[in-house]
């Protein structure tokens, strides 16, 4: 059973471009979480999705950021018109249910905005 | 929101030494978890604690859920080079993943 997969692992964008981050959950996991990690800081929750539905987006900025988890295919975190402050590591985690202790993290996407 | 303070920020120790790190919160949690993150990878769960006062071990790792429910510590005994990494505490009030708050991490370096 492959783990959580994220791609790309590294992404460089210029200010104003769009960034698309993909996450394929573990097989059998229908719950997906996105986190952002700034240098020297812990992970900060952004959004929680369960197949085709956004359950909790309380940690996601209201503008420029969106997330989806379609019926088929990976979950996508989209950042429009990126700014330098968006540079961070973005981690996806998946779980078979919403309970703590059940989520597995992917290796992350390191986004650098020039 | 709930603030987690994790200390120390970094530690440099000799192989074989014991390590202790802790996390304190401004408010109570019902679950404390400890994760390890290797360079370039995502966090991996080490220990989960569910009850105030609980003491749980996982090999050379021991973690405790503080009686006040506002703190937790992690001990690593007889450290080895592969213990190198960043250790994060995390707390949850509702037992749900989307409620978890993470500390800023303790960066551990082990000298052979």
């Amino acid at each position: 059973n492959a783990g959580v997969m994220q791609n790309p692992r590294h992404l460089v964008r210029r200010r104003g471009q769009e960034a698309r981050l993909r996450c394929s959950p573990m097989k059998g996991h229908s719950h997906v979480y996105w986190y952002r990690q700034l240098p020297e800081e812990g992970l900060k929750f952004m959004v929680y999705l369960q197949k085709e539905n956004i359950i909790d987006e309380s940690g996601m900025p209201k503008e420029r950021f969106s997330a989806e988890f379609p019926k088929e295919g990976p979950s996508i975190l989209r950042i429009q018109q990126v700014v330098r402050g968006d540079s961070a590591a973005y981690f996806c985690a998946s779980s078979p249910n919403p309970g703590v202790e059940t989520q597995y993290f992917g290796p992350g996407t390191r986004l650098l905005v020039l | 929101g709930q603030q987690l303070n994790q200390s120390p920020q970094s530690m440099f120790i000799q192989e074989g030494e014991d390590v202790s790190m802790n996390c304190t919160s401004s408010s109570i949690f019902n679950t404390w978890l400890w994760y390890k993150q290797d360079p370039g990878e995502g966090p991996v769960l080490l220990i989960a604690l569910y009850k105030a006062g609980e003491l749980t071990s996982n090999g050379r790792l021991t973690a405790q859920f503080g009686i006040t429910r506002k703190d937790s510590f992690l001990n690593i005994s007889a450290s080895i080079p592969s213990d190198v990494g960043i250790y994060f505490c995390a707390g949850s009030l509702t037992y749900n993943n989307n409620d978890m708050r993470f500390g800023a991490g303790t960066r551990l370096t082990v000298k052979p």
Side-chain angles (χ1 to χ4, degrees):
Chain A
N1 189 4
V4 178
M5 298 172 68
Q6 290 188 248
N7 69 80
R9 294 292 302 270
H10 299 273
L11 183 61
V12 180
R13 284 286 177 265
R14 295 194 181 280
R15 279 179 297 169
Q17 291 185 319
E18 179 179 281
R20 279 184 157 223
L21 288 61
R22 293 175 198 80
C23 169
S24 296
M26 287 179 69
K27 189 176 178 182
H29 288 192
S30 60
H31 301 257
V32 165
Y33 307 82
W34 285 93
Y35 296 83
R36 177 162 62 179
Q37 184 179 36
L38 295 171
E40 311 298 321
E41 292 188 15
L43 282 74
K44 291 206 168 32
F45 167 77
M46 296 180 74
V47 61
Y48 162 34
L49 308 105
Q50 187 183 5
K51 276 298 183 182
E52 299 185 88
N53 293 308
I54 295 175
I55 308 299
D56 179 358
E57 55 182 350
S58 58
M60 199 154 69
K62 294 282 185 285
E63 299 184 354
R64 302 190 298 108
F65 285 72
S66 62
E68 62 178 19
F69 188 14
K71 192 175 178 183
E72 303 290 338
S75 175
I76 307 281
L77 179 68
R78 184 183 291 111
I79 311 172
Q80 296 177 301
Q81 298 175 313
V82 295
V83 301
R84 288 220 172 103
D86 296 333
S87 296
Y90 292 84
F91 289 94
C92 163
S94 74
S95 67
N97 62 65
V100 296
E101 190 179 356
T102 65
Q103 65 177 338
Y104 293 82
F105 285 86
T109 294
R110 273 91 185 148
L111 172 66
L112 176 63
V113 179
L114 300 176
Chain B
Q2 293 153 323
Q3 300 293 321
L4 282 184
N5 295 305
Q6 188 170 348
S7 65
Q9 280 189 317
S10 59
M11 301 182 76
F12 296 82
I13 61 168
Q14 207 71 37
E15 182 178 359
E17 289 183 359
D18 296 344
V19 170
S20 186
M21 59 192 80
N22 69 78
C23 223
T24 58
S25 168
S26 56
S27 53
I28 64 170
F29 284 119
N30 287 319
T31 309
W32 282 96
L33 304 101
W34 286 91
Y35 288 84
K36 184 191 178 200
Q37 184 178 24
D38 290 328
E41 298 297 330
V44 174
L45 181 65
L46 299 172
I47 292 178
L49 302 154
Y50 293 98
K51 198 172 165 185
E54 179 182 354
L55 186 72
T56 297
S57 293
N58 178 5
R60 293 178 297 105
L61 278 61
T62 301
Q64 185 158 29
F65 191 143
I67 290 290
T68 65
R69 292 161 68 197
K70 291 185 178 182
D71 63 331
S72 177
F73 72 76
L74 175 72
N75 285 344
I76 306 173
S77 62
S79 57
I80 60 178
S82 62
D83 290 335
V84 164
I86 305 176
Y87 291 80
F88 291 100
C89 62
S92 170
L93 188 59
T94 66
Y95 304 100
N96 291 323
N97 289 315
N98 56 311
D99 177 54
M100 282 208 317
R101 300 292 178 264
F102 284 81
T106 294
R107 189 177 297 269
L108 179 64
T109 303
V110 180
K111 291 180 264 188

